[in-house]
Amino acid sequence: MKEQRPAVEGWFTMDRERPQLLGTRCQACRTFFFPKEEQFCRNPECDGREFEEVPLSNKGRVWSYTEHHYQPPEPYISPDPFVPYTVAAVELAEEKMVILGQLATGVQAKEIEVGTEVQLVLETLYEDDSNDYLVWKWKPTTH
Amino acid sequence: MAKEVAILGVGMHPWGKWGKNFVEYGVKACQDALKDAGVEWKDIQFVSGADTMRNGYPGYVSGATFAQALGWNGARVASSYAACASGATALNTARTQILAGLCDVALVVGADTTPKGFLAPNKGERPDDPDWLRFRLLGATNPTYFGLYARRRMELYGATEKDFARAKVKNANHGLSNPNARYRKAFTEEEVLNSPMVADPLHLFEICATSDGGAAMVISSLEFARKHQIDAVKIASISTVTPTFPNTVIEMPNMSTDSAHTSKLPDAPFRDSIAKAAYEEAGLGPEDMNLAEVYDLSSALELDWYENIGLCKAGEAERLLNDGVTTVGGRVPVNPSGGLACFGEAVPAQAIAQVCELVWHLRGQAGKRQVEGAKAGITANQGLFGHGSSVIVTK
């Protein structure tokens, strides 16, 4: 059994059942950031410098999506032969922000539309001899 | 109107994949612009270069690189980088020198030599670089973002793939007679829709290529212009605005937007705010524009720009296109040059080339693609990492 590791350190919880993206919140004005902002609050009316790590909502609604039919350049690690994939932009209601992610394997672009509710899942992005490297993806809650 | 400067001369090196040094394209454009202006190189007091990031050190100090190539004349110099908006930034740098009374006449130039194939991040493992991570983690390429915007138009406004293809067909027709365009070929809707799907709903022929090219402009104070020629076309305003927090539209190369949890939304989203600032500075509005050059990185993005520059309300762009309003001969032709669809993008030259095109129309020198009676026009463009770019030119 290979060890499961995140493809990028500290961006999401490694909970396979109910994973969550990890962002930060400014301790002064409470604005959310993803990827994590840990130095300067980007709200122009706030000079906060202290941030806390927070898990983000694990559900959101599709803002838009696009299915890719050609192999992107490196550093994308593409299966051989290339398999089309869909990138969705998903709006989180509480955080009021949009976060990109691929659609989960087995979900077709035609199964979603703007407004479809999706939830976060973890899947293997690539692997080596001893590890699976995981990334977040979006999956319709009805799927 | 004291904030105007005159455009005395414009020049371009044709777009293509010529494989030569970018300096050659820029120098050719400069020489044409100087000749067009009737100004000698030795009389230029300020050189403003738009940088290229793909051609080593000479590209980072482009103003000096072109000044040296033309022969050091002691002019003061500046070099600007603002991604796709670099040309507008360089133009604004020269304009403000003139408006401040620090110089009378300046040369603005940008040129690029581009590598083959898709734009990709620099090599190496760089997990701290978001531009690298978007490719690694998501396979989010530049066309990903164009595809997201296009799909949203379809779902929100009922736009169709045919609408998008028609934007390409229109621009291809416009560019047919443009000697500076790289692609001078007519397309049918079917040809566009039958080209390979790239980022659904966008096909290969709907996504902008990268090109070599160069564009230059000689600008001056109105007083200097009066001594040299009558009725010079004028720059009424230049907008180089950044977004206002929170920017809630997903933008290349980001993997997320700002959060609007805490702050109220700005009066206008970023892309709307770009032209808005240009209109306010010029004291003009969309109804005063006779033509526009907008950044059609994809066919569908051109339609977004119609709304962003105020030609119509959100959701009405397809009707404007399909009614022929934005075709040469219509009320407000968009991309009479052929746009990026016919040029491909030569990053530091493109925003300058957009203004060159307006100048030819306002002078009545645009040949078969001429917008008759054009008195005012607007360019719009957006550079990565928060660079707005919009220039209004008047007679």
Side-chain angles (χ1 to χ4, degrees), chain B residues 306-335:
Chain B
Y306 293 1
E307 298 162 5
N308 301 139
I309 66 171
L311 298 185
C312 61
K313 295 198 185 91
E316 293 178 356
E318 285 75 16
R319 189 163 59 76
L320 223 58
L321 172 75
N322 291 327
D323 288 352
V325 172
T326 58
T327 304
V328 171
R331 181 171 55 80
V332 52
V334 176
N335 287 333

Coordinates of all heavy atoms in Angstrom, one line a residue, chain B residues 306-335:
Chain B
Y306 N -17.4 44.0 -25.4 CA -18.5 45.0 -25.8 C -19.2 45.5 -24.6 O -19.5 46.7 -24.5 CB -19.5 44.3 -26.7 CG -19.1 43.7 -28.0 CD1 -17.8 43.9 -28.5 CD2 -20.0 43.1 -28.8 CE1 -17.4 43.4 -29.7 CE2 -19.7 42.6 -30.1 CZ -18.4 42.8 -30.5 OH -18.0 42.3 -31.7
E307 N -19.4 44.6 -23.6 CA -20.1 45.1 -22.4 C -19.2 45.8 -21.5 O -19.6 46.8 -20.9 CB -20.7 43.8 -21.8 CG -21.7 43.1 -22.7 CD -22.0 41.7 -22.3 OE1 -21.6 41.2 -21.3 OE2 -22.8 41.0 -23.1
N308 N -18.0 45.4 -21.4 CA -17.0 46.0 -20.5 C -16.7 47.5 -20.9 O -16.4 48.3 -20.0 CB -15.7 45.3 -20.4 CG -15.8 43.8 -19.9 OD1 -15.2 42.9 -20.5 ND2 -16.7 43.6 -19.0
I309 N -16.8 47.8 -22.2 CA -16.5 49.1 -22.6 C -17.8 49.9 -22.9 O -17.7 51.0 -23.4 CB -15.6 49.2 -23.9 CG1 -16.3 48.6 -25.1 CG2 -14.2 48.5 -23.6 CD1 -15.4 48.9 -26.4
G310 N -18.9 49.3 -22.5 CA -20.1 50.1 -22.4 C -20.9 50.2 -23.8 O -21.8 51.0 -23.9
L311 N -20.5 49.4 -24.7 CA -21.2 49.4 -26.0 C -22.6 48.9 -25.9 O -23.5 49.2 -26.7 CB -20.5 48.6 -27.1 CG -19.1 49.1 -27.5 CD1 -18.5 48.3 -28.6 CD2 -19.1 50.6 -27.8
C312 N -22.9 48.0 -24.9 CA -24.2 47.5 -24.6 C -24.2 47.0 -23.2 O -23.2 46.9 -22.5 CB -24.5 46.3 -25.6 SG -23.4 44.9 -25.5
K313 N -25.4 46.6 -22.8 CA -25.6 46.1 -21.4 C -25.2 44.6 -21.4 O -25.0 43.9 -22.4 CB -27.1 46.1 -21.0 CG -27.6 47.5 -20.9 CD -28.9 47.5 -20.1 CE -29.6 48.9 -20.0 NZ -30.5 49.1 -21.1
A314 N -24.9 44.1 -20.2 CA -24.6 42.7 -20.0 C -25.6 41.8 -20.7 O -26.8 41.9 -20.5 CB -24.4 42.3 -18.6
G315 N -25.1 40.8 -21.5 CA -26.0 39.9 -22.1 C -26.5 40.3 -23.5 O -27.2 39.5 -24.2
E316 N -26.1 41.5 -24.0 CA -26.6 42.0 -25.3 C -25.5 41.9 -26.4 O -25.8 42.3 -27.5 CB -27.1 43.4 -25.1 CG -28.3 43.6 -24.3 CD -28.8 45.0 -24.1 OE1 -28.1 45.9 -24.6 OE2 -29.8 45.2 -23.4
A317 N -24.3 41.5 -26.0 CA -23.2 41.5 -27.0 C -23.5 40.7 -28.2 O -23.1 41.1 -29.3 CB -21.9 41.1 -26.3
E318 N -24.1 39.5 -28.0 CA -24.3 38.6 -29.2 C -25.3 39.3 -30.2 O -25.1 39.2 -31.4 CB -25.0 37.3 -28.7 CG -24.0 36.4 -28.1 CD -23.6 36.7 -26.6 OE1 -24.3 37.6 -26.0 OE2 -22.6 36.2 -26.1
R319 N -26.3 40.1 -29.7 CA -27.2 40.7 -30.6 C -26.4 41.8 -31.3 O -26.6 42.0 -32.5 CB -28.3 41.3 -29.8 CG -29.5 41.9 -30.6 CD -30.7 42.1 -29.8 NE -30.5 43.0 -28.6 CZ -30.5 44.3 -28.7 NH1 -30.6 44.9 -29.9 NH2 -30.3 45.1 -27.7
L320 N -25.5 42.5 -30.6 CA -24.8 43.6 -31.3 C -23.9 43.0 -32.4 O -23.9 43.5 -33.6 CB -23.8 44.2 -30.3 CG -23.7 45.7 -30.2 CD1 -25.0 46.4 -30.0 CD2 -22.7 46.1 -29.1
L321 N -23.3 41.9 -32.2 CA -22.5 41.2 -33.2 C -23.4 40.7 -34.3 O -23.1 41.0 -35.5 CB -21.8 40.0 -32.6 CG -21.0 39.1 -33.6 CD1 -19.7 39.8 -34.0 CD2 -20.7 37.8 -32.9
N322 N -24.4 40.1 -34.0 CA -25.3 39.4 -35.1 C -26.0 40.5 -35.9 O -26.4 40.2 -37.0 CB -26.2 38.4 -34.4 CG -25.5 37.2 -33.9 OD1 -24.5 36.8 -34.5 ND2 -26.0 36.6 -32.8
D323 N -26.3 41.7 -35.3 CA -26.9 42.7 -36.1 C -25.9 43.5 -36.9 O -26.3 44.5 -37.6 CB -27.6 43.7 -35.1 CG -28.9 43.1 -34.5 OD1 -29.3 42.0 -34.9 OD2 -29.5 43.7 -33.6
G324 N -24.7 43.2 -36.8 CA -23.7 43.8 -37.7 C -23.2 45.2 -37.2 O -22.5 45.9 -37.8
V325 N -23.6 45.5 -35.9 CA -23.2 46.8 -35.3 C -21.7 46.9 -35.2 O -21.2 48.0 -35.4 CB -23.9 47.0 -34.0 CG1 -23.4 48.2 -33.2 CG2 -25.4 47.0 -34.1
T326 N -21.1 45.8 -34.9 CA -19.6 45.9 -34.7 C -18.8 45.4 -35.9 O -17.6 45.3 -35.8 CB -19.3 45.0 -33.5 OG1 -19.7 43.6 -33.8 CG2 -20.0 45.4 -32.2
T327 N -19.4 45.3 -37.0 CA -18.7 45.0 -38.3 C -18.4 46.3 -39.0 O -19.2 47.2 -38.9 CB -19.6 44.1 -39.2 OG1 -20.0 42.9 -38.4 CG2 -18.9 43.7 -40.5
V328 N -17.3 46.4 -39.7 CA -17.0 47.6 -40.5 C -18.2 47.9 -41.4 O -18.7 47.0 -42.1 CB -15.7 47.5 -41.3 CG1 -15.6 48.6 -42.2 CG2 -14.5 47.4 -40.3
G329 N -18.7 49.1 -41.3 CA -20.0 49.5 -42.0 C -21.1 49.6 -41.0 O -22.1 50.3 -41.2
G330 N -20.9 49.0 -39.8 CA -21.9 49.1 -38.7 C -21.7 50.4 -37.9 O -20.8 51.2 -38.2
R331 N -22.5 50.5 -36.8 CA -22.5 51.8 -36.1 C -21.2 52.0 -35.3 O -20.6 53.1 -35.2 CB -23.7 51.8 -35.1 CG -23.8 53.0 -34.2 CD -25.1 53.1 -33.4 NE -25.3 51.9 -32.6 CZ -24.7 51.7 -31.4 NH1 -23.9 52.6 -30.9 NH2 -25.0 50.6 -30.7
V332 N -20.7 50.9 -34.7 CA -19.4 51.0 -33.9 C -18.6 49.8 -34.2 O -18.6 48.8 -33.4 CB -19.7 51.4 -32.4 CG1 -20.6 50.4 -31.8 CG2 -18.4 51.4 -31.7
P333 N -17.8 49.8 -35.3 CA -17.0 48.6 -35.6 C -16.0 48.3 -34.5 O -15.4 49.2 -33.9 CB -16.3 49.0 -36.9 CG -17.2 50.0 -37.5 CD -17.8 50.8 -36.3
V334 N -15.9 47.0 -34.2 CA -14.9 46.5 -33.2 C -13.9 45.7 -33.9 O -14.2 44.8 -34.7 CB -15.6 45.7 -32.0 CG1 -14.6 45.2 -31.0 CG2 -16.6 46.6 -31.3
N335 N -12.6 45.9 -33.5 CA -11.5 45.3 -34.2 C -11.5 45.3 -35.7 O -11.4 44.3 -36.4 CB -11.4 43.8 -33.7 CG -10.9 43.7 -32.2 OD1 -10.2 44.6 -31.8 ND2 -11.3 42.7 -31.5

